[in-house]
Amino acid sequence: MLLLTFDEKSGKPKYQQIIDQIRQKIESRSLIPGEKLPSTRQLAEKLGVHRSTTSLAYQELWALGYIELHPCKSPRVRSRMAIAKPSDNSNAHLIDWNRTASTASTRLWETYRDFLPPLLREKKPGYINFRPLDMDSRLFPIENFNSCMSRVLKTKGHTLLGYGDETGYAPLKSYIAHRMQNHGVSVSSDEILITNGSQQGIDLILRMIASPGRTVALESPSYNHMMPLIHLHEMKSIEIPILKDGMDLDLLEEKLKTEFPSLIYTMPNFQNPTGISTGQAHREKLLSLAEHYGIPILEDGFEEEMKYFGKVVLPVKSMDKHQIVIYCGTFSK
């Protein structure tokens, strides 16, 4: 016999109380697999509730896997696989993920794991970690941003919350195309792809050209996340030292003659981590070399707009007449 009671003071809906009590009886083995349960009508009459209450409770129990429901048959308790608990994680793993994961992905994980020395992996009072280049969150104009979000959601919420154009929100692409004109870059909105940050953009470009054994020429030292991405795609790097005016272009030319890289990666403005910005002559020579040997350039302009004084040198992309330069920018900094 199924004995259930209601606690009128609990504030919990009656259908939920039915669910909780039947679950407890099944989990404690007071009700065993295969045992019949009252029909929704019988249980409703017994408890003095509307049949919709017991029907809703049974439907939920069925969805959770505790009972079987079939037309014209009595509900029955079913044998149900137990829910995994945190303590179960101590059991031996069925799959050896260290062997299953690719060598490249394991190397990538180890690189990120070992990136910070032990003293900087945890936030400590009184210490400021300058390595990640993260902005101080107190600088964000939260009130203005919240106001803009509310206004846009009220006027265009239905279109913004769908999947939208896979290349990005059209008005944003048009805005970026217009903004790039300030940097001397003539580009249409159709040539712009919105990504979730410049690192995703870089990853997509590497995916496009990636093939085991191919190479990427880049400045040394370079953006710390670039090397793991290159290795993840089973490519190799050709590291070109940085001189006082930027990448050593004489050495780069020697490498282009013999090693034929699939891509040249460069950060002309405030190069990370050296902070060097290259001059116009250096950028012209770099572009000329790439054009001569038919090698695309990935120009990382993540700090293009961080210059507050002095003359601005236009991006390499501004001189690109043959569509060999891919420009990657960001708003995060």
Side-chain angles (χ1 to χ4, degrees):
M1 180 179 290
L2 185 61
L3 299 177
L4 304 177
T5 60
F6 292 127
D7 182 357
E8 301 293 344
K9 297 181 180 180
S10 70
K12 186 178 292 186
K14 291 183 176 180
Y15 84 91
Q16 187 62 55
Q17 293 190 48
I18 295 172
I19 293 170
D20 293 344
Q21 292 180 69
I22 293 179
R23 280 184 61 175
Q24 189 278 327
K25 291 180 182 296
I26 293 174
E27 291 173 354
S28 66
R29 305 290 292 181
S30 296
L31 292 172
I32 60 175
E35 188 169 345
K36 289 184 179 181
L37 297 174
S39 67
T40 56
R41 186 184 300 278
Q42 291 171 335
L43 186 60
E45 291 175 353
K46 182 178 179 179
L47 296 176
V49 297
H50 195 276
R51 187 181 176 187
S52 63
T53 301
T54 55
S55 178
L56 181 59
Y58 274 4
Q59 287 292 333
E60 184 70 16
L61 286 165
W62 171 82
L64 293 171
Y66 284 97
I67 66 174
E68 295 177 347
L69 294 178
H70 298 287
C72 303
K73 291 184 179 181
S74 299
R76 290 180 180 271
V77 177
R78 71 180 294 273
S79 179
R80 180 183 183 280
M81 186 178 289
I83 296 294
K85 299 177 181 178
S87 58
D88 296 331
N89 292 334
S90 60
N91 297 333
H93 288 241
L94 181 63
I95 298 174
D96 184 349
W97 291 107
N98 290 326
R99 294 182 60 186
T100 303
S102 68
T103 302
S105 65
T106 300
R107 187 164 55 238
L108 179 66
W109 173 77
E110 291 173 346
T111 299
Y112 283 110
R113 180 197 62 188
D114 299 335
F115 173 61
L116 291 179
L119 291 177
L120 294 178
R121 287 177 188 163
E122 298 179 4
K123 293 184 178 180
K124 295 183 178 294
Y127 288 86
I128 300 175
N129 180 11
F130 288 101
R131 295 188 65 162
L133 285 178
D134 289 340
M135 284 184 61
D136 188 335
S137 60
R138 294 171 297 181
L139 299 176
F140 287 110
I142 298 298
E143 293 183 2
N144 290 342
F145 187 79
N146 183 53
S147 176
C148 291
M149 285 289 293
S150 298
R151 184 172 67 253
V152 172
L153 285 174
K154 285 181 180 179
T155 57
K156 299 183 179 180
H158 292 292
T159 57
L160 290 178
L161 298 179
Y163 281 114
D165 187 339
E166 62 273 11
T167 63
Y169 185 50
L172 176 58
K173 290 168 61 180
S174 296
Y175 171 80
I176 292 174
H178 178 72
R179 189 183 185 94
M180 290 304 296
Q181 293 179 12
N182 295 331
H183 301 293
V185 177
S186 297
V187 62
S188 69
S189 59
D190 291 337
E191 297 174 272
I192 292 174
L193 174 66
I194 306 296
T195 63
N196 187 25
S198 59
Q199 187 167 343
Q200 186 193 18
I202 293 171
D203 182 55
L204 288 174
I205 294 163
L206 291 179
R207 287 169 186 256
M208 179 179 67
I209 67 169
S211 182
R214 284 189 171 184
T215 57
V216 175
L218 74 166
E219 298 145 343
S220 178
S222 185
Y223 175 43
N224 67 285
H225 292 321
M226 191 64 184
M227 298 298 288
L229 284 175
I230 291 173
H231 295 155
L232 177 64
H233 295 294
E234 299 183 340
M235 301 176 72
K236 298 178 181 179
S237 59
I238 302 174
E239 299 183 35
I240 309 298
I242 290 185
L243 306 178
K244 63 180 181 179
D245 60 342
M247 182 189 295
D248 185 342
L249 297 183
D250 291 334
L251 178 58
L252 174 64
E253 185 170 13
E254 292 180 17
K255 297 293 185 180
L256 297 183
K257 292 177 182 178
T258 57
E259 301 194 34
F260 309 105
S262 299
L263 181 73
I264 299 171
Y265 172 74
T266 184
M267 196 180 293
N269 281 330
F270 307 109
Q271 198 267 352
N272 182 359
T274 65
I276 291 174
S277 292
T278 62
Q280 180 68 22
H282 187 281
R283 300 184 189 202
E284 290 176 359
K285 184 175 180 180
L286 174 62
L287 180 59
S288 296
L289 285 174
E291 289 176 341
H292 180 74
Y293 290 96
I295 299 173
I297 294 175
L298 171 54
E299 181 177 11
D300 190 344
F302 89 112
E303 287 187 332
E304 191 75 53
E305 299 183 343
M306 293 291 283
K307 190 175 182 65
Y308 293 101
F309 54 86
K311 295 182 178 180
V312 174
V313 182
L314 296 179
V316 179
K317 180 65 180 175
S318 67
M319 301 175 285
D320 181 25
K321 299 177 182 178
H322 303 290
Q323 301 297 304
I324 70 166
V325 179
I326 303 172
Y327 181 91
C328 189
T330 179
F331 288 112
S332 65
K333 298 297 186 289

